């Protein structure tokens, strides 16, 4: 088959590329439109910016050099910049379990509330004949007043059905258990009596005349149809208020400015545990790096010791803790450190007569965490140090031996100066990792023992990231306050990283 010349020209040029870009843009625009019409703003806006940027890069000659870094930029913006911007925006709201909905959704919930409008309540009996159903309603105040509906299909759609007195239902009467299974579909059925009274399901066993409790006024105000009381939305607390000032649940999220940040500073019940947890987080991160480095470097030097025979076997045994999944090791240590039944306390009590309270004493709990984390982290440091030690010329050690230097002199004046520069970025990365080591704390102590007298639940062994998670998803679910804490963590970690990078650069230049 011969391909036409104009088609060959189109295929040999930029036509396929532009067609591919156009298809991707159309798909993105479709997704953006769907998200926008569902009430999302930030996410479709981010997609629009990224899509426009990508289109310019892949269709413009000026953007040619950026196409190779665009995937990295895409990942950074989607998984770092966007979540951080979203978290930052939430920190200025009262978004939480009590104020999780929008004002429009809360208003809709209130407008859908129904109240009884009559004195009569009817018990229900449901009859089934093949696919047809009939309701038999009996007045609770007058057992002789019985109404039977026309047949209808029970499929969950809104259905209005007439009912008459003196009629008989066909089919089999369903048991209450079978009626309960149909409760959702029965909620969409309205029964019209002979006097035009409209009955709907008011409880699991009853029908009654119901009417909306509120009607809407201007400025999102709601009026109680029966009592005339007005509910007004309070944009400072995120609740509808009665005329007496009482809050009506559920609440809605509103912008509250820097109140969450102010709470971190002014609320003693949050400020004190936050500061204690911050100090412990820094101590834990620095201590973990230091202990892992010391033990890893010591073992790496030992593995380089020529007189040591079968070093390969020792090397494999020492690296084994690195091969075991961390969560398994942590749970095993949790059992070993059990205060009453753990093997560690059994040994300590047998040898020294002591039985530390690893889970209830803050000092012992923190010591236990550092011990476990050192066990988990030293193999990595040992492997890194073994590689760095191999790069040091043997001539230096031979010259120092001729000069009569001892192992301490070799360590201080040859080994450490030669490995410090390449090791510094690894130590910084290890510090940053341990700063957010959520899994270790959550599995080993769950943050306990808990601090007394705090506004939000906080533990002595909580890291900042665990404290944030507890605030956001466990105790009260205050997403706004948790976002403010997460923003503070981001700024603190960013500042520490900047200081470390500056210090490292200065030492390298020196």
């Amino acid at each position: 088959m011969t391909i036409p010349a104009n088609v060959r020209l189109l295929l040999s040029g930029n036509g396929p590329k532009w067609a591919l870009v156009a298809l991707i843009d159309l798909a993105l625009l479709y997704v953006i439109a769907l998200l926008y019409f569902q009430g999302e703003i930030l996410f479709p806006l981010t997609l629009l910016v990224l899509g426009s940027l990508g289109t310019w890069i892949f269709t413009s000659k000026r953007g040619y050099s950026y196409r190779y870094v665009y995937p990295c930029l895409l990942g950074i913006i989607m998984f770092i910049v966007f979540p951080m911007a979203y978290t930052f925006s939430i920190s200025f709201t009262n978004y939480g379990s009590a104020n999780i909905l929008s004002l429009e959704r809360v208003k809709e919930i209130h407008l859908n509330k129904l109240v009884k409008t009559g004195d009569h309540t009817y018990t229900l009996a449901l009859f089934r004949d093949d696919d047809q159903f009939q309701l038999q309603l009996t007045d609770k105040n007058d057992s002789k007043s019985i109404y039977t509906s026309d047949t209808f299909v029970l499929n969950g759609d809104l259905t209005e059905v007439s009912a008459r007195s003196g009629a008989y239902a066909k089919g089999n009467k369903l048991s209450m258990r079978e009626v309960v299974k149909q409760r959702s579909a029965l909620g969409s059925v309205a029964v019209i009596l002979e006097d035009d009274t409209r009955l709907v399901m008011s409880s699991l066993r009853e029908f009654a005349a119901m009417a909306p409790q509120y009607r809407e006024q201007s400025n999102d105000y709601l009026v109680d149809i029966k009592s005339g009381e007005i509910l007004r939305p309070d944009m400072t607390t995120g609740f509808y208020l009665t005329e007496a000032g009482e809050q009506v649940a559920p609440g809605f999220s509103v912008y509250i400015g820097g109140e969450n940040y102010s709470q971190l500073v002014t609320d003693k019940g949050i400020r004190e545990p936050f500061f204690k947890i911050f100090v412990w987080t820094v101590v834990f991160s620095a201590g973990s790096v230091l202990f892992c480095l010391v033990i890893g470097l010591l073992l790496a030097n030992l593995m380089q010791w020529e007189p040591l025979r079968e070093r390969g076997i020792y090397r494999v045994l020492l690296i084994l803790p690195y091969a075991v999944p961390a969560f398994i090791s942590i749970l095993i240590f949790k059992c070993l450190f059990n205060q009453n039944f753990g093997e560690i306390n059994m040994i300590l009590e047998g040898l020294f007569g002591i039985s530390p309270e690893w889970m209830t004493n803050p000092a012992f709990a923190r010591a236990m965490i550092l011990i476990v984390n050192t066990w988990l982290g030293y193999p990595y440091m040992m492997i890194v140090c073994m590689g760095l030690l191999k790069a040091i010329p043997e001539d230096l050690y031979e010259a120092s031996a001729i000069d009569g230097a001892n192992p301490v002199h070799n360590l201080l004046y040859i080994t450490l100066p030669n490995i410090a520069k390449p090791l510094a970025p690894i130590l910084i990365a290890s510090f940053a990792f341990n700063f957010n080591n959520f899994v270790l704390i959550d599995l080993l102590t769950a943050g306990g023992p808990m601090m007394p007298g705090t506004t939000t639940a906080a533990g002595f062994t909580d890291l900042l990231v665990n404290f944030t998670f507890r605030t956001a998803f466990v105790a009260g679910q205050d997403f706004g306050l948790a976002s403010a804490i997460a923003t503070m963590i981001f700024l603190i970690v960013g500042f520490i990283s900047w200081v470390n990078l500056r210090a490292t650069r200065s030492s390298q230049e020196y």
Side-chain angles (χ1 to χ4, degrees):
M1 186 179 73
T2 303
I3 300 175
N6 55 347
V7 176
R8 285 204 306 273
L9 180 62
L10 183 63
L11 293 176
S12 62
N14 291 322
K17 182 180 71 174
W18 290 344
L20 180 62
V21 172
L23 284 175
I24 294 174
D25 284 349
L26 284 174
L28 273 178
L29 287 174
Y30 177 71
V31 174
I32 289 169
L34 285 180
L35 292 172
Y36 177 76
F37 287 118
Q38 287 182 357
E40 297 286 342
I41 299 295
L42 193 57
F43 194 61
L45 183 62
T46 305
L47 284 179
L48 184 63
V49 172
L50 290 175
S52 303
L53 185 62
T55 301
W56 176 75
I57 288 175
F58 285 98
T59 56
S60 170
K61 291 183 178 179
R62 296 178 62 187
Y64 184 85
S65 58
Y66 296 104
R67 63 184 61 182
Y68 301 106
V69 297
Y70 178 71
C72 298
L73 290 175
L74 190 66
I76 291 172
I77 293 174
M78 287 296 295
F79 300 113
I80 297 178
V81 177
F82 173 73
M84 198 59 237
Y86 191 67
T87 302
F88 186 66
S89 65
I90 290 178
S91 68
F92 292 97
T93 69
N94 65 344
Y95 189 50
S97 58
N99 303 83
I100 201 167
L101 303 173
S102 65
L103 173 61
E104 291 300 322
R105 180 67 184 121
V106 171
K107 186 172 67 177
E108 183 182 343
I109 290 174
H110 287 312
L111 290 175
N112 288 334
K113 287 181 179 177
L114 300 175
V115 292
K116 287 183 180 178
T117 56
D119 299 329
H120 295 270
T121 304
Y122 299 84
T123 58
L124 72 89
L126 185 64
F127 291 80
R128 180 172 187 171
D129 184 15
D130 293 331
D131 294 334
Q132 299 294 314
F133 291 83
Q134 280 184 284
L135 276 169
Q136 191 175 74
L137 304 178
T138 304
D139 194 333
K140 292 183 70 174
N141 299 329
D142 181 7
S143 58
K144 295 181 179 178
S145 180
I146 301 174
Y147 296 89
T148 304
S149 73
D150 297 336
T151 57
F152 59 92
V153 178
L154 199 57
N155 54 10
D157 295 337
L158 292 176
T159 305
E160 283 194 354
V161 59
S162 301
R164 304 184 305 276
S165 59
Y168 295 95
K170 298 178 181 178
N172 300 320
K173 182 180 179 182
L174 301 185
S175 65
M176 184 49 64
R177 183 178 179 181
E178 292 172 310
V179 173
V180 171
K181 290 180 180 178
Q182 304 289 345
R183 63 185 183 281
S184 298
L186 283 173
S188 60
V189 176
V191 179
I192 310 298
L193 300 185
E194 294 169 328
D195 58 356
D196 292 334
T197 302
R198 189 174 188 274
L199 305 178
V200 295
M201 197 172 183
S202 60
S203 68
L204 192 60
R205 297 169 180 265
E206 296 174 346
F207 269 62
M210 307 285 285
Q213 183 178 2
Y214 299 104
R215 62 180 171 83
E216 185 179 4
Q217 267 193 341
S218 59
N219 298 326
D220 296 319
Y221 280 40
L222 301 176
V223 180
D224 191 316
I225 296 176
K226 192 172 182 179
S227 65
E229 186 178 34
I230 296 177
L231 300 184
R232 62 176 179 84
D234 184 3
M235 303 310 290
T236 57
T237 61
F239 282 95
Y240 268 95
L241 299 182
T242 64
E243 293 174 350
E246 297 176 350
Q247 295 180 345
V248 180
F252 51 89
S253 59
V254 293
Y255 174 80
I256 59 172
E259 188 175 322
N260 288 320
Y261 294 95
S262 174
Q263 197 176 358
L264 284 177
V265 178
T266 57
D267 191 335
K268 186 179 177 182
I270 298 178
R271 184 184 67 241
E272 290 189 355
F274 179 83
F275 180 72
K276 290 178 181 177
I277 291 171
F278 169 68
V279 172
W280 158 241
T281 303
V282 174
V283 171
F284 164 77
S285 305
S288 297
V289 173
L290 178 64
F291 295 145
C292 291
L293 175 63
V294 170
I295 295 177
L297 183 58
L298 179 65
L299 293 175
N301 275 288
L302 189 61
M303 292 299 103
Q304 306 290 335
W305 191 35
E306 292 294 338
L308 184 65
R309 303 181 64 181
E310 305 297 343
R311 284 179 294 173
I313 297 175
Y314 297 132
R315 190 180 296 122
V316 171
L317 292 176
L318 290 171
I319 293 175
L320 273 182
Y322 193 47
V324 178
F327 71 93
I328 294 178
S329 299
I330 294 169
L331 293 178
I332 290 173
F333 271 106
K334 187 174 184 178
C335 297
L336 293 176
F337 277 102
N338 187 285
Q339 294 177 193
N340 301 315
F341 309 106
E343 285 76 3
I344 291 176
N345 268 15
M346 291 173 63
I347 295 172
L348 291 176
E349 194 164 3
L351 293 176
F352 307 106
I354 59 174
S355 182
E357 299 170 341
W358 299 107
M359 296 296 175
T360 55
N361 184 293
F364 284 120
R366 288 171 173 174
M368 174 185 65
I369 288 171
L370 283 173
I371 292 171
V372 174
N373 204 34
T374 302
W375 170 266
L376 297 173
Y378 88 82
Y380 174 71
M381 284 296 176
M382 187 185 73
I383 294 171
V384 171
C385 291
M386 287 170 61
L388 295 176
L389 291 176
K390 285 285 187 184
I392 300 176
E394 290 292 333
D395 297 347
L396 297 177
Y397 293 107
E398 292 174 2
S400 68
I402 294 173
D403 290 340
N406 58 32
V408 176
H409 290 142
N410 288 342
L411 176 67
L412 295 178
Y413 298 110
I414 298 177
T415 304
L416 290 182
N418 278 281
I419 68 172
K421 290 181 181 178
L423 198 57
I426 296 172
L427 297 182
I428 293 171
S430 180
F431 180 89
F433 170 79
N434 283 301
F435 203 88
N436 292 317
N437 198 339
F438 175 85
V439 175
L440 173 67
I441 305 300
D442 192 56
L443 291 182
L444 193 58
T445 64
M450 304 306 292
M451 295 182 189
T454 59
T455 303
T456 59
F460 283 102
T461 59
D462 264 334
L463 302 181
L464 283 175
V465 64
N466 298 85
F467 179 55
T468 306
F469 179 82
R470 193 195 306 280
T471 304
F473 301 108
V474 179
Q477 297 188 346
D478 192 341
F479 302 129
L481 179 60
S483 298
I485 297 173
T487 304
M488 295 299 293
I489 294 174
F490 176 79
L491 295 176
I492 291 170
V493 174
F495 177 73
I496 293 173
S497 301
W498 178 77
V499 170
N500 277 323
L501 288 174
R502 293 278 297 180
T504 304
R505 185 182 302 172
S506 299
S507 64
Q508 288 176 345
E509 290 173 353
Y510 179 77

